[in-house]
Amino acid sequence: MKVIIDASNVAHFGKGKDGQPTLDNILNSIEALKGLGYEPFAIADAPLRHEIDNKEEFNKLLEEEKIQQVPSGTTADHFILKIAYEEDAKILSNDMFREYNDEFKDIASRRIPYDIKEGKIAIGTSSKPKKVKNILQKICTYSLNEFEKKGLDAYKVKKSKKISGIAIAKEAIDRITKTRENALDSKIEDIFQKIPLFGKVMNMVEDAESTSDFIIFVLVSPRDYKDAVRYAGNIAVTVGDRLKLEHAPLVAVRNDLFTKPGSFELNILYSDEVVEESKYNINITINDHDYSFVKKNSRNIASTVAARVGTWKFPIVSVKPSMLMEKPGQFEIVLEKGESKG
């Protein structure tokens, strides 16, 4: 990997006896980085050539292009950061570059700190790159939009409420009652979603259409999944009894990446609207930085998408890294035709 040496910052570290920046600091840093397997090149601001302790040798290195000088009229810090992001390089510097945080994201993950003692330079390590905020939600949103382009409606309404068994049951009763009163024939808008069907629900799937008028997907944060599953049976009985349904609704709990911990949403469908198999699978190509994180959460992505488009079984979600995607947060999604029985 390439490493840009912030030559002025390195040269000024400690300074010489007369207060001058030191050329040896730069030369020692070049050798140290090479020893670690990096490809170093130094960039200096324009004033350094007039301040350095060994002007003759420094100017010679400039002429030989072993050290690069920032173009006249250009801010050195900005120039170094711009090159680093364009070249996907690290920066050896103790400068935090705080004034550029708005323009250049996650500078700490590119900056390598250092220390110099008795002429020897110790190379530190850069911070771990920050995860791009809400990348899982962005992937799910993009996927759901693609499903809609394929003609499959997706539930998007967000009316999160504090999670509890009684709260879920009351909300379901209210939504189903309003749907009946309004004589709606399509999806009931509101709360619920899915992840692997828990044991009892799996056994009920085959009879879902004949035994349940409504399917209630309970959408919860992955943190709340186990607790929500414990409510499922009582919710089904309570809703069916209160609404005097011939058959209790089927309640399926799903991990939902849009739902905050401690809250829930409901996506309530007529039983004949639920599709057995996902019609499309999701192929994600992503940058190296986010690959492991997204792959680890691929089942939650599948659960979120499946519940929002109303399918029993999850779409297959494949994740692969791409060297062509250099920046955190970059991804591409392609839907692939899957099996469909309904």
Side-chain angles (χ1 to χ4, degrees):
M1 173 174 278
K2 295 179 181 179
V3 177
I4 299 172
I5 298 170
D6 183 354
S8 298
N9 182 270
V10 171
H12 278 88
F13 187 93
K15 296 188 178 181
K17 294 180 180 179
D18 56 2
Q20 288 182 297
T22 306
L23 177 59
D24 282 347
N25 284 359
I26 299 174
L27 298 178
N28 290 339
S29 67
I30 291 174
E31 293 306 312
L33 288 168
K34 285 182 177 179
L36 294 173
Y38 291 111
E39 300 176 36
F41 61 101
I43 298 179
D45 60 18
L48 187 61
R49 67 189 303 168
H50 304 294
E51 302 168 349
I52 201 82
D53 60 351
N54 191 337
K55 296 180 177 61
E56 183 178 346
E57 182 63 21
F58 183 81
N59 287 325
K60 182 180 178 182
L61 292 171
L62 287 176
E63 291 174 5
E64 294 174 350
E65 296 184 350
K66 292 181 180 178
I67 296 178
Q68 181 180 344
Q69 184 172 287
V70 173
S72 178
T74 302
T75 303
D77 287 351
H78 187 275
F79 182 82
I80 288 171
L81 287 167
K82 187 172 184 294
I83 295 297
Y85 278 80
E86 289 176 352
E87 299 289 332
D88 192 24
K90 297 282 189 179
I91 304 170
L92 184 72
S93 180
N94 284 339
D95 189 338
M96 303 296 287
F97 302 105
R98 289 190 179 92
E99 61 268 43
Y100 299 102
N101 282 336
D102 291 338
E103 181 177 356
F104 298 96
K105 303 302 180 183
D106 202 12
I107 293 174
S109 67
R110 289 199 178 271
R111 189 183 66 84
I112 302 175
Y114 65 89
D115 190 20
I116 301 175
K117 292 182 180 179
E118 297 180 355
K120 292 184 178 181
I121 185 164
I123 307 296
T125 56
S126 54
S127 301
K128 290 183 178 180
K130 293 179 181 178
K131 298 265 181 225
V132 174
K133 188 177 181 180
N134 295 331
I135 189 169
L136 297 177
Q137 289 91 332
K138 290 178 181 178
I139 288 172
C140 289
T141 297
Y142 188 96
S143 298
L144 290 170
N145 288 339
E146 290 299 297
F147 269 84
E148 288 192 330
K149 290 178 183 178
K150 301 291 185 181
L152 299 176
D153 292 334
Y155 165 79
K156 291 183 179 179
V157 176
K158 297 180 181 179
K159 296 183 180 179
S160 299
K161 296 189 176 182
K162 189 173 181 179
I163 190 172
S164 71
I166 188 64
I168 293 172
K170 285 181 176 180
E171 185 70 14
I173 290 168
D174 182 55
R175 297 301 166 183
I176 292 174
T177 299
K178 288 181 179 178
T179 298
R180 285 174 154 185
E181 290 175 352
N182 295 330
L184 298 178
D185 293 324
S186 58
K187 287 185 179 181
I188 304 172
E189 285 189 341
D190 233 10
I191 58 192
F192 285 120
Q193 195 159 9
K194 55 187 174 183
I195 196 171
L197 291 171
F198 47 93
K200 292 183 179 179
V201 174
M202 274 299 277
N203 297 329
M204 297 168 68
V205 171
E206 292 182 1
D207 299 324
E209 291 190 8
S210 60
T211 60
S212 303
D213 294 326
F214 299 99
I215 312 299
I216 302 175
F217 291 118
V218 182
L219 285 55
V220 297
S221 163
R223 297 184 193 177
D224 299 316
Y225 173 72
K226 290 183 179 180
D227 287 338
V229 167
R230 288 197 287 268
Y231 307 146
N234 288 338
I235 292 170
V237 172
T238 300
V239 174
D241 188 53
R242 178 60 63 91
L243 296 175
K244 295 181 172 53
L245 300 176
E246 185 176 350
H247 301 287
L250 184 61
V251 176
V253 180
R254 294 292 182 265
N255 281 348
D256 183 55
L257 293 169
F258 295 112
T259 307
K260 294 181 180 180
S263 64
F264 73 94
E265 296 184 41
L266 300 179
N267 184 19
I268 305 176
L269 309 176
Y270 287 110
S271 59
D272 59 2
E273 291 182 312
V274 178
V275 178
E276 176 66 18
E277 302 270 357
S278 177
K279 294 184 178 181
Y280 298 94
N281 296 320
I282 303 169
N283 297 320
I284 304 170
T285 303
I286 199 160
N287 65 91
D288 285 332
H289 165 57
D290 295 309
Y291 168 70
S292 295
F293 177 66
V294 172
K295 186 174 179 62
K296 181 180 178 181
N297 285 278
S298 60
R299 189 165 183 81
N300 288 336
I301 293 172
S303 171
T304 301
V305 173
R308 300 245 165 189
V309 297
T311 62
W312 279 123
K313 295 182 181 180
F314 299 172
I316 296 172
V317 176
S318 64
V319 186
K320 62 181 180 181
S322 172
M323 294 179 67
L324 298 177
M325 295 183 184
E326 300 177 352
K327 297 180 180 180
Q330 283 187 300
F331 65 85
E332 291 180 356
I333 292 176
V334 175
L335 298 189
E336 182 181 59
K337 190 73 174 178
E339 295 182 9
S340 179
K341 297 179 181 178

